[in-house]
Amino acid sequence: MIHLLPSFKLCDLKPELIFVLDRSGSMMGRSIALAREALLLILHSLPADCYFNIVGFGSTHTSVFPTSVKYDEENLKRAKAHARALDADMGGTEILAPLEEIFGQPEIDGYFRQIFVLTDGEVSNQNAVVGIVHANAHKVRVFALGIGDAASHGLVGGIAKAGGGTAAYVTYNESVDKKVLDQLKNALQPSLTDIHLEWDGLSPIQEKPTILNKTKTLLGYNKPIESDELTSETSPRIKQSPEKIPPVFDGSQLIVFGLFKNDCPKSVLITAQSPDGPLTVRVEHSPSNVQGDVRLLFHRLAAIRLIRDLEAKEDSEPKKSLKQEIIDIACQNAIPHSLLLM
């Protein structure tokens, strides 16, 4: 297990912040009240040099300004009046259309676009929503705030992960202040991206191809036979979770697990991209650090993380093969059924 708490100060980026607010019928009552409170707090906390806009969505969508505007006294006054008058009066929960429109808008030169979604909803086309966020993650980051006790973790967490941002949840019995300001802080700072771990030259395990050869033998002349041409020297020997590491913000944790077929590597080289250029650090591993029950615990934690990653792929890959791989990992690492249900 690699566990780091990176601390860094990168060159600041000038943001364009677009707040996408759920105004569907399910937001009626305490949810829309929390959304109003969160939006007003955000508007008062924006940096002086930024562009912003507010988009409300339900069965349709609408925006306060035709395109993002400069943050100044007049535009702030108009946005605050809009926020105080917000209501859950726009019908269903259709977030895909407004996201498509936002992603299609021209970028503002010198400003980095960030989308901030506030919602309690669950949508029927979640895969399409997460997919479009992921497809645009190279140029737009997406942060999400789940509002209310029944906020959809699948939607909120899914779009934040796909968009290289962070997700947070506010229930009815807690203040919005800290979580909203923490989210805004992340949105206003650069992050480390394209994080890659090189485990002493090894790569994450991939499926080994089945090679069909034709050999001239007495038993089965010219019949194709299966052979595994990947030797232990050339075959990758590690499974990593998460396979694709999400962006890391200043002061946030970086936790990565690796499961090995053979001995654990003696060091791990971590590389990442930042607005200031590439960053690297090598972490040395001492086997004496992990013994007995602790080692077993790490194996189980790694296996559970791998299983969670596979479960997240169920919509994009054949379920039968994924199910068998999940069973294999659980059996090989002695994962109790009760832990899989957590």
Side-chain angles (χ1 to χ4, degrees):
M1 181 179 77
I2 301 297
H3 182 197
L4 298 177
L5 191 64
S7 180
F8 49 84
K9 174 63 177 175
L10 303 174
C11 295
D12 291 333
L13 298 175
K14 294 187 291 186
E16 176 200 3
L17 293 155
I18 301 178
F19 305 99
V20 181
L21 181 66
D22 188 347
R23 291 177 54 184
S24 63
S26 65
M27 290 282 289
M28 187 72 70
R30 288 185 290 178
S31 292
I32 199 67
L34 278 175
R36 288 192 209 103
E37 185 180 348
L39 186 55
L40 285 168
L41 178 60
I42 290 170
L43 290 172
H44 280 290
S45 305
L46 295 181
D49 189 5
C50 76
Y51 281 78
F52 78 105
N53 202 355
I54 302 169
V55 177
F57 71 91
S59 299
T60 60
H61 61 278
T62 183
S63 59
V64 177
F65 307 101
T67 59
S68 296
V69 295
K70 194 75 173 177
Y71 184 67
D72 59 26
E73 185 175 347
E74 184 61 32
N75 289 329
L76 175 60
K77 180 179 178 181
R78 182 175 171 183
K80 286 166 59 179
H82 174 81
R84 293 190 185 100
L86 282 175
D87 206 351
D89 55 0
M90 295 186 68
T93 309
E94 299 294 337
I95 191 175
L96 182 59
L99 288 178
E100 287 176 333
E101 184 173 307
I102 293 169
F103 288 133
Q105 291 174 355
E107 299 175 19
I108 300 173
D109 188 35
Y111 290 80
F112 184 40
R113 181 170 294 164
Q114 323 269 0
I115 297 176
F116 202 111
V117 177
L118 299 89
T119 182
D120 74 337
E122 183 172 344
V123 294
S124 58
N125 58 345
Q126 180 175 305
N127 289 342
V129 172
V130 173
I132 192 173
V133 170
H134 183 268
N136 289 274
H138 62 289
K139 62 179 182 179
V140 181
R141 287 194 307 190
V142 178
F143 298 80
L145 181 69
I147 296 178
D149 296 344
S152 169
H153 284 241
L155 177 63
V156 173
I159 59 177
K161 182 178 180 180
T166 56
Y169 303 87
V170 179
T171 63
Y172 295 133
N173 297 320
E174 62 181 325
S175 170
V176 301
D177 294 21
K178 185 179 186 307
K179 292 188 176 180
V180 167
L181 292 178
D182 284 347
Q183 285 287 81
L184 184 59
K185 175 187 173 184
N186 287 339
L188 294 177
Q189 67 166 299
S191 61
L192 302 181
T193 59
D194 281 341
I195 302 170
H196 175 73
L197 272 64
E198 185 177 332
W199 308 78
D200 264 358
L202 303 180
S203 301
I205 277 183
Q206 299 172 349
E207 290 297 323
K208 293 189 292 183
T210 297
I211 310 298
L212 296 180
N213 289 332
K214 289 185 177 181
T215 57
K216 295 182 178 181
T217 65
L218 179 61
L219 302 177
Y221 176 74
N222 251 2
K223 291 181 66 176
I225 62 173
E226 294 185 4
S227 66
D228 187 356
E229 292 188 346
L230 294 178
T231 66
S232 59
E233 286 76 20
T234 60
S235 174
R237 292 164 291 173
I238 171 180
K239 287 187 177 182
Q240 176 183 298
S241 176
E243 184 177 348
K244 183 178 180 182
I245 302 171
V248 173
F249 298 87
D250 182 26
S252 62
Q253 295 186 93
L254 169 63
I255 300 178
V256 183
F257 288 94
L259 273 178
F260 301 88
K261 285 188 174 182
N262 301 308
D263 292 337
C264 180
K266 295 180 181 179
S267 68
V268 179
L269 179 65
I270 304 174
T271 61
Q273 294 297 321
S274 78
D276 295 344
L279 303 175
T280 64
V281 63
R282 183 174 291 278
V283 180
E284 302 294 331
H285 170 66
S286 173
S288 61
N289 290 343
V290 182
Q291 298 292 340
D293 292 341
V294 176
R295 176 173 293 180
L296 177 59
L297 174 63
F298 279 1
H299 270 83
R300 287 181 171 176
L301 286 173
I304 291 171
R305 286 285 295 271
L306 285 167
I307 289 170
R308 295 289 181 259
D309 289 347
L310 290 170
E311 289 173 341
K313 293 181 178 180
E314 284 190 348
D315 293 319
S316 59
E317 297 187 15
K319 290 189 176 183
K320 186 176 181 180
S321 60
L322 288 176
K323 181 179 179 180
Q324 186 57 52
E325 190 171 354
I326 289 171
I327 293 172
D328 291 343
I329 292 173
C331 292
Q332 291 165 6
N333 295 279
I335 306 300
H337 186 257
S338 58
L339 289 181
L340 293 177
L341 298 178
M342 292 175 63

